[in-house]
Amino acid sequence: MVVHQQSLRARQVASLEKILNLNHWPSETSSNHHDPSTANGLLPQATPILNADGDPIWKVLVFDNLGRDVISSVLRVNDLRGWGVTIHLNINSPRHPIPDVPVLYLLEPSAANLDLISQDLSRNLYADAYINFLSSIPRPLMEDFAAQLADAGTSESVAQVYDQYLNFIVGEPDLFSLGMGKDIYGTLNSAQTKDDELDAVIERIVSGLFSVVVTMGAIPIIRCPRGAAAEMIAAKLDRKLRDHILNSKDNLFSSQGQRPSSAAGTPSSRPVLVIVDRNVDLIPMLSHSWTYQSLVYDVLKMHLNRITIETPIDEDNPAKGRTKRSYDLNSNDFFWARNAGVPFPQVAEDIDAELTKYKEDANEITKNTGASSLEDLQNDTSSSAQHLKAAITLLPELRERKATLDMHMNIATALLKGVKDRQLDNFFQIEETITKQTKVQILDLLNDDGKGKEPLDKLRLFIIWFLSTEQEVSRTEMEGFEEALTKAGSDVTALAYVKRVREITRMTMMTSAPSAPTTQSAGNELFRGFSSISNRLTDRFKDGALGANFESLISGVKNFLPANRDITLTKITESLMDPASASSSAIAKTEDYLYFDPRSANARGTMPAPSQIRHQGAGGIPGALGGALGPGTGASFGQRRQGFSEAIVFTVGGASMDEYGNLQDWAKRTSAATGGGAGAGGAGGQRRRVVYGSTDLVNAEDFVVGELARLGRESA
């Protein structure tokens, strides 16, 4: 029997809906106490509780910045309204009294937030307060808060106080970030980071991972390399999970909606949590990808599933200028769900196919009703009642489909313009064969003004080559590259740090060769649909340069479709999830990975603070954490060869959309190859699944200009 698992996003949405429902599960108000979904480890579907009049309980939602990001990534305003939320406000903004309405708080348990809640209660801004903390509130803060309420005499206004363990942001079904900001990589690798700041970063990561594990409902086996921040985080998370299991009266992993495997299942029936440092492979943070999702993130700077692009005010009259429009790419977007991880040319082909299908469906409706168009249908009373009823039933779905396709047409147009302006096809082609590039070829490209107008793209390409090549680069040659980059307009400050990290990444990178060469015929077939959509885009920009050069742009990448290649993090994941199928080089790299089982009876001893071990050596990276946390964490041969059907892969210091897409492709490919089985050690009938996360999603520009340049200035 195939076991269906909810995605991380689905489980977070269910938890948020429970909060919006005043922390009521359906079973508390329903006679059905034997929901089969709960028995399978699925969170039950909540329904709004009603007041005495049968109406939803209307409420105000108040959140802080992290609470806003957590909610806005998975729920829209209409969703909130469906759960009775009439207004949502930031706790730091001016707020007026609404004394007859209860308030839901969703925020971090900080002293500042608790003070603001106390002020709200003292001012009688709202009726009963339902307080939900995104993570577990420390006991000292809770005691201070209770003292404030007692002194003010407002304790009776507090209806609920819950720790919700939701301090992470879900962008895609199995993609999450801790929302810690884009500077964590620099903070962890800088010698100038203060001890208390370092300790706070590690504690925040551990707290976020604990929340992810609680939401997924299963206690994982933890694997990580020795040394640096990954080992410290793994050890502290192991201790936190162990203490919770042993000391908590209400175990979060035995409550409603948690999976049966979380109770006491064998290690192979539990997920594996792989924690690695960003330095294991920097290339995905810099590369120019050709998938739809990665291009949107790189070119259009997507943030929290929202992008802003410029579109013509009047497509028929470009002289009227352009206007900015924002789009949300959410879970209800059928086109994004299907095409986010596929190559951009296939996206264009699918837009073309969907538009054709939409026109056929619209024509079928208008033909049956006798109307000339969908717009005329609403005002047409001459159609037969039967056909009119059927048409009106289909109208909302058709209009929604059309709006979605129009949005993606605009996004594709903006991406094509970005690809042409920055010549991203050239960079993509070169990076596909980066290890074959010679020093002379790279230098010629850097000196060629016709190869890309964006200096940052050339700097990204050079760093990728420098980290990938096995050729030795002399000091004189390096000066020549730096001079060419500077002449092209690039800021080479980051290279001072990249030189120091090169030796580390060359030892850990394990990119495999493509499984099969991409043929010309396959390329022509793939781009057939892309060429058809080019007619529309050419018509739209017939007066501009984009349309005129579209075909040449497409023909330039026909022989360079994305290769079926697993990047370093995917190879590491494969060696830990399915060691029977992994390459010997990947197995060798993970052979020494540490093994933590929070359910094991073996104690790990007292954990030192991160700042106390930061100078114990981390391979020469300035400011990085050291290792040596003590004996007893090495894996036995059986543990090293243990397989898993589910993994959480976490990178410390920034996530890349390329890595997320590559991991999902590997999971789908290997699940299909085994007939949906879990592979070595996994449960039969269960597909392989990988959840990917990091401290934050960081695009290439922020990573190079922000983090690498900052560390470069320190290293110079």
Side-chain angles (χ1 to χ4, degrees), residues 59-78:
K59 55 192 81 81
V60 176
L61 175 63
V62 176
F63 43 60
D64 60 3
N65 291 340
L66 181 59
R68 174 200 62 205
D69 293 346
V70 168
I71 290 180
S72 63
S73 294
V74 293
L75 296 177
R76 305 270 79 84
V77 173
N78 287 341

Side-chain angles (χ1 to χ4, degrees), residues 365-376:
I365 291 177
T366 55
K367 182 175 69 174
N368 291 337
T369 58
S372 58
S373 68
L374 291 179
E375 285 72 20
D376 295 337

